[in-house]
Amino acid sequence: MGPVGAALIGLVTLPMLTWLYSPDIVGSYSLLNIGLSLISLIFALGFDQAYVREYYNFDNHAKLLKHCVVPAFALLTVLLVTISVIYAFDLFGFSQSSLSLLVFGYLAVGYFVIANLFTSYYFRMQQNALMYSLCQFIPKLSFMILIVLFYLGGVLSGFLSIAVAQFLAIISLSILMLFQTRKVWLALKYEPLELPILKRLFTFGFPLVFANLTFWALTSVDRLALTYWADMTAVGIFSVGVSLAMAAGVLQVVFSAIWSPMIYRWEKEGIENYTEQFDSLFSALSTVIFAAFCIVGLFAWVIDFALPEQYQRVKYILVCSFAYPLFFTLSEITVVGLHLMRRTYYVLVASCTALIINLVVNFWLTPSLSVSGAAIATAVSFYSLFIVRTEMSASVWRSFSRFKTYGFGAVILILACVQALSSNAYLYWAICWGGLLLLIIALGRQQFKTLFMLLKQR
């Protein structure tokens, strides 16, 4: 319920921001979140993924948690102290440097970001659905409430009000969750650090740091390209499309929270037919995701009633924006084969390939097409990521039926990219997406039944 609630809060907050702030401030807010996500990726050192991978192989979960958390906090502390020394004069007011203050503020909030990350994974692996849901829901709700309070009270305005609200929302979650898990964290001091365990976790997780950084670049380069080749207004308009698409990101969050631990448990318990269930789930979810693309295209015109006039362009790039969460969800199904075989460096190769494609398409299209070019680059790169991840998994793990899925995905990608170049005739596009939706429903009836039966079994 937490990811769903967070997505719903996001859908309410986004239109509110577009009415309260200009597109350039909305663009700056998007860049702020890019920075926060970078902190989470760098300082986790891949130990968050190692925690999930090794959870069922450890009887002492407190020891596992400590071996994952300590390196992250240690690296963050070293960098924070280094920055403090380098910018000591700036930080204590001897000179003015907004950059040094911003870096210091980011790193200080980084402690809370890392604590929130591992606390949420703790609840996830404990199968505590309520607390895991609250980890997703509380920051979104806190941010929305703070924005409203700042606006009504006139205490802060502009980008500063958004930044302060975001930081306070993160800190509020940390306070609540650390209090809830205080016994767990206090127990960590009794667990000694063991070099073999650190080495084992590091060997699995550290390659994922580069993969995660590459993935961060993959999801951020579009807005950075718009910052360079266009302006912050274009970043704001594009960011609104991305934010709306992240409502579908709830599918990826919920699925990842269930799928990876489940497949690891099946492997640990030696369940014989789990590969057959994998094939059925991949086929069924592919059909559902393609239907979701069509539904987005069919009803994208509705957002004109929720956003100010300067955001009218969003409806044409919306399907391309949804390529990130939807194609990525498909890739999360198949990439599990690489994790099972402990070939995590292949994940890095896949992300690098998609990033190169993203950079090339952005360089080619964004200077002339602005928002449309960035949207097309995002869609093409995430379709490529899905294919590369899937082919690598089929190569090192086991082969499975996938080329029909590639074909349907290519058709949707082409339609989405052509639509991103359009500026009128939306009725025509609604008819196209509606017709394709009917075709998918007609051809995928068995897949819908299969998915229903699998969910019923769970």
Side-chain angles (χ1 to χ4, degrees), residues 73-88:
F73 281 148
L75 178 61
L76 184 58
T77 301
V78 169
L79 190 55
L80 186 61
V81 171
T82 303
I83 294 294
S84 299
V85 172
I86 293 175
Y87 292 106

Side-chain angles (χ1 to χ4, degrees), residues 106-153:
Y106 264 119
L107 293 177
V109 173
Y111 285 101
F112 299 100
V113 172
I114 296 298
N116 292 345
L117 175 67
F118 281 101
T119 302
S120 66
Y121 273 112
Y122 169 78
F123 288 129
R124 170 180 164 183
M125 300 311 295
Q126 288 284 318
Q127 299 183 2
N128 190 331
L130 175 61
M131 297 308 301
Y132 179 75
S133 297
L134 289 177
C135 288
Q136 313 297 317
F137 181 76
I138 289 176
K140 301 288 186 181
L141 180 62
S142 300
F143 175 75
M144 184 180 71
I145 292 174
L146 288 168
I147 287 294
V148 172
L149 291 177
F150 289 158
Y151 178 77
L152 295 178

Side-chain angles (χ1 to χ4, degrees), residues 27-237:
S28 298
Y29 168 63
S30 177
L31 296 180
L32 171 68
N33 285 327
I34 287 176
L36 290 173
S37 63
L38 178 61
I39 289 176
S40 177
L41 292 179
I42 290 178
F43 294 103
L45 293 172
F47 280 72
D48 52 336
Q49 299 299 315
Y51 179 76
V52 175
R53 180 65 184 90
E54 300 293 343
Y55 185 85
Y56 291 108
N57 295 325
F58 273 76
D59 295 326
N60 189 339
H61 295 145
K63 175 176 287 190
L64 174 63
L65 180 61
K66 181 171 184 176
H67 282 78
C68 292
V69 170
V70 168
F73 281 148
L75 178 61
L76 184 58
T77 301
V78 169
L79 190 55
L80 186 61
V81 171
T82 303
I83 294 294
S84 299
V85 172
I86 293 175
Y87 292 106
F89 289 99
D90 295 333
L91 293 173
F92 289 101
F94 291 99
S95 63
Q96 298 295 322
S97 175
S98 58
L99 176 60
S100 63
L101 288 172
L102 179 62
V103 171
F104 186 85
Y106 264 119
L107 293 177
V109 173
Y111 285 101
F112 299 100
V113 172
I114 296 298
N116 292 345
L117 175 67
F118 281 101
T119 302
S120 66
Y121 273 112
Y122 169 78
F123 288 129
R124 170 180 164 183
M125 300 311 295
Q126 288 284 318
Q127 299 183 2
N128 190 331
L130 175 61
M131 297 308 301
Y132 179 75
S133 297
L134 289 177
C135 288
Q136 313 297 317
F137 181 76
I138 289 176
K140 301 288 186 181
L141 180 62
S142 300
F143 175 75
M144 184 180 71
I145 292 174
L146 288 168
I147 287 294
V148 172
L149 291 177
F150 289 158
Y151 178 77
L152 295 178
V155 179
L156 296 173
S157 61
F159 174 70
L160 181 61
S161 64
I162 292 183
V164 172
Q166 184 74 311
F167 288 162
L168 290 178
I170 293 171
I171 294 171
S172 67
L173 175 64
S174 294
I175 294 173
L176 290 173
M177 293 299 103
L178 290 176
F179 178 78
Q180 182 68 27
T181 58
R182 59 192 183 280
K183 294 182 180 179
V184 176
W185 292 96
L186 289 174
L188 298 187
K189 65 181 180 181
Y190 300 109
E191 298 295 339
L193 287 175
E194 298 180 16
L195 186 60
I197 296 178
L198 285 173
K199 183 178 179 180
R200 175 179 174 181
L201 297 173
F202 184 82
T203 301
F204 177 85
F206 190 67
L208 293 177
V209 174
F210 299 98
N212 290 339
L213 283 174
T214 305
F215 185 78
W216 171 86
L218 178 61
T219 58
S220 306
V221 71
D222 41 26
R223 279 157 286 185
L224 298 176
L226 287 171
T227 302
Y228 182 77
W229 280 304
D231 51 33
M232 291 306 296
T233 297
V235 176
I237 294 172

Side-chain angles (χ1 to χ4, degrees), residues 215-403:
F215 185 78
W216 171 86
L218 178 61
T219 58
S220 306
V221 71
D222 41 26
R223 279 157 286 185
L224 298 176
L226 287 171
T227 302
Y228 182 77
W229 280 304
D231 51 33
M232 291 306 296
T233 297
V235 176
I237 294 172
F238 180 83
S239 298
V240 169
V242 172
S243 299
L244 288 171
M246 290 315 297
V250 65
L251 174 64
Q252 184 263 318
V253 171
V254 172
F255 179 79
S256 296
I258 298 173
W259 175 241
S260 295
M262 183 173 65
I263 200 75
Y264 294 152
R265 178 167 53 83
W266 286 350
E267 181 203 28
K268 177 70 174 178
E269 296 175 356
I271 296 178
E272 296 181 358
N273 67 336
Y274 80 92
T275 55
E276 297 177 4
Q277 295 200 42
F278 169 89
D279 293 341
S280 299
L281 188 63
F282 175 57
S283 177
L285 272 179
S286 298
T287 303
V288 171
I289 286 175
F290 293 152
F293 270 114
C294 296
I295 292 172
V296 170
L298 182 60
F299 294 104
W301 56 271
V302 174
I303 65 175
D304 283 348
F305 297 99
L307 303 177
E309 186 176 355
Q310 58 263 45
Y311 294 95
Q312 297 295 302
R313 184 71 196 152
V314 173
K315 64 178 176 290
Y316 292 101
I317 66 168
L318 195 61
V319 180
C320 278
S321 299
F322 269 79
Y324 165 21
L326 294 181
F327 278 136
F328 183 66
T329 300
L330 275 180
S331 74
E332 284 290 277
I333 300 173
T334 58
V335 79
V336 73
L338 299 178
H339 293 309
L340 286 171
M341 302 302 294
R342 299 181 185 273
R343 304 289 181 86
T344 52
Y345 53 88
Y346 280 117
V347 179
L348 174 60
V349 173
S351 297
C352 287
T353 302
L355 176 58
I356 292 171
I357 292 172
N358 197 330
L359 290 169
V360 170
V361 179
N362 265 299
F363 182 80
W364 178 34
L365 297 180
T366 303
S368 58
L369 298 177
S370 186
V371 173
S372 298
I376 291 172
T378 297
V380 171
S381 60
F382 274 96
Y383 177 71
S384 303
L385 178 69
F386 162 58
I387 290 180
V388 175
R389 277 182 160 193
T390 302
E391 286 302 305
M392 288 181 171
S393 185
S395 175
V396 304
W397 181 41
R398 53 181 290 273
S399 182
F400 49 90
S401 177
R402 57 196 184 279
F403 295 107

